[in-house]
Amino acid sequence: DGKIRRVKIDGSFAWGDMGTIGMALDPKFLENRRFYVWYADKPDKNVALDRFEWRDRTSETAGTRVNVITFSRREPPAPYHMGGVVKFLPDGTLLIGTGDAERPELSQDRKDLNGKLLRIRPKDEGGYEVPTDNPHVGDAAWRPEIVAHGLRAPFRAHLRDGKHLYFGDVGAVYEEIDLWKGGAVDFGWGHGVVSDGPTQPEGTVKPLVSWSQNRDFAAEDPDYNGETRLSAGVGPIYEGFSQDRYDGFLTGKLIFFDVMRGWIRAADLDAEGNVAGHRHVGHRQFISDMILGRDGYLYGVTWCRTESIFRLRLSHEIKPGPKAPPPTPIDEPPRPEGAAGTK
């Protein structure tokens, strides 16, 4: 009906990364009206995923609340690195990307759910089951919900072909765009004070793209305003549109962005889904998420701004920006273990 409805999530509140930070519609939403919300809980700063059923009256919607999963952020709880990735797979299982609770060692802890990619199957009565084909099922050394580890602060993601998950992982020194193709893998965070981007150890999955204060794309952004904070985010791949609104300019490209600096880039993907190149296509600071609309336009939402919903209007006539200077040597001082990043 064109109206914006609001459902209050009791217990969720805005502080640091906390609050309502991710959601997903049930694959059968048009039939069951169910949706899932990932949020940080006010009393103990834990994180939880709850299910709701959309009703015409928001008070009734709030009354349908059922908890699916809740777990501890450890003591003392920190207000950052909550995650935010919530994506359904075609088989009805759910992927959840969790943050490291500002404790990097948790990302490598096989018995802890922080800093991980989880796969679960929500149950009708609440709670969840662990899919029997998860990679660590039957291994007493691992929590069976875990399908990947070594994450720091996965924030936004795009699921391609129902199996390949592209996501942004907010880093300590390097921001990352990563790709999970299935299986038990280590994305590298938690092996030391700095173990992101090109500093990851051998045997871990390297990012498709990484950038830092000394290695970024600010020189190609004509609207760069001097912001030094960084925060990686992933939008959709421009495919499956009803009408191409960008004259082929974005077709098949992965959209990714920096939340804080505001640049938006489009990446070419090769046959394996890896990034073959990327270029600047726009600027909008404080983007918190982007989707492909039914009308073929890309839409986004920004946080902490009065004009929060926008439509991305790009042109195939956008000219390449100035050539970026060569990377300078990385001279960032080591951060103490557990140091907070920009997000």
Side-chain angles (χ1 to χ4, degrees):
D1 57 8
K3 297 181 180 179
I4 295 176
R5 309 287 180 85
R6 296 180 180 180
V7 179
K8 182 180 179 181
I9 311 298
D10 288 335
S12 174
F13 75 128
W15 177 43
D17 282 359
M18 304 184 76
T20 302
I21 49 183
M23 70 170 293
L25 299 181
D26 189 280
K28 297 180 180 180
F29 175 77
L30 294 180
E31 301 172 19
N32 60 30
R33 312 294 283 177
R34 291 177 174 178
F35 63 99
Y36 295 76
V37 177
W38 182 251
Y39 67 97
D41 186 70
K42 182 175 182 178
D44 51 18
K45 303 182 181 66
N46 288 331
V47 288
L49 182 79
D50 286 357
R51 189 189 75 214
F52 298 82
E53 293 182 16
W54 181 254
R55 305 287 175 84
D56 290 337
R57 295 179 58 183
T58 56
S59 59
E60 293 179 356
T61 297
T64 67
R65 184 176 188 170
V66 175
N67 179 253
V68 176
I69 184 173
T70 300
F71 61 88
S72 171
R73 306 264 299 157
R74 298 290 188 93
E75 294 293 338
Y80 296 97
H81 303 185
M82 301 288 178
V85 174
V86 187
K87 293 289 181 182
F88 272 99
L89 295 172
D91 63 1
T93 59
L94 185 64
L95 293 176
I96 301 173
T98 71
D100 71 352
E102 290 195 275
R103 296 178 60 182
E105 69 276 10
L106 296 183
S107 296
Q108 295 297 321
D109 187 336
R110 299 178 179 186
K111 288 290 191 177
D112 194 279
L113 298 183
N114 292 288
K116 308 297 192 302
L117 183 64
L118 313 177
R119 178 172 174 250
I120 63 173
R121 185 183 299 277
K123 298 167 64 175
D124 284 341
E125 65 270 26
Y128 65 94
E129 299 173 338
V130 175
T132 56
D133 57 346
N134 272 9
H136 300 299
V137 169
D139 186 344
W142 288 85
R143 285 287 297 265
E145 299 94 330
I146 298 170
V147 295
H149 62 289
L151 306 182
R152 183 176 184 268
F155 179 52
R156 289 293 179 258
H158 174 74
L159 186 66
R160 187 184 199 187
D161 299 328
K163 55 184 177 181
H164 293 165
L165 187 75
Y166 292 85
F167 63 93
D169 198 6
V170 181
V173 173
Y174 292 93
E175 305 300 298
E176 297 183 0
I177 304 300
D178 291 300
L179 171 60
W180 179 72
K181 297 183 179 182
V185 295
D186 180 359
F187 284 99
W189 179 247
H191 287 278
V193 175
V194 176
S195 55
D196 50 3
T199 67
Q200 292 178 205
E202 291 300 320
T204 62
V205 175
K206 304 297 183 182
L208 301 178
V209 183
S210 64
W211 64 94
S212 77
Q213 298 251 357
N214 286 342
R215 297 165 65 97
D216 64 14
F217 321 113
E220 298 181 22
D221 183 358
D223 297 311
Y224 177 54
N225 62 4
E227 173 67 66
T228 58
R229 294 172 295 174
L230 304 167
S231 187
V234 163
I237 296 174
Y238 194 69
E239 56 188 355
F241 41 77
S242 59
Q243 181 178 351
D244 186 350
R245 300 291 186 173
Y246 304 101
D247 297 328
F249 178 62
L250 293 182
T251 302
K253 291 179 171 58
L254 172 70
I255 306 300
F256 69 98
F257 51 91
D258 192 295
V259 177
M260 305 307 297
R261 291 200 169 184
W263 50 253
I264 305 169
R265 298 183 75 85
D268 295 300
L269 302 175
D270 63 20
E272 286 72 42
N274 299 313
V275 171
H278 50 89
R279 61 176 293 188
H280 175 82
V281 296
H283 180 99
R284 181 76 178 219
Q285 199 171 16
F286 306 123
I287 300 172
S288 60
D289 207 357
M290 294 180 67
I291 63 168
L292 175 59
R294 290 186 177 182
D295 58 1
Y297 281 109
L298 288 169
Y299 288 85
V301 60
T302 57
W303 54 274
C304 299
R305 297 295 180 273
T306 55
E307 298 178 357
S308 60
I309 300 175
F310 65 92
R311 186 171 73 182
L312 199 63
R313 300 183 64 183
L314 305 178
S315 169
H316 65 284
E317 298 177 351
I318 292 178
K319 301 298 189 296
K323 186 176 180 180
T328 55
I330 300 303
D331 57 0
E332 291 93 340
R335 298 191 182 193
E337 192 74 15
T342 59
K343 191 176 188 306

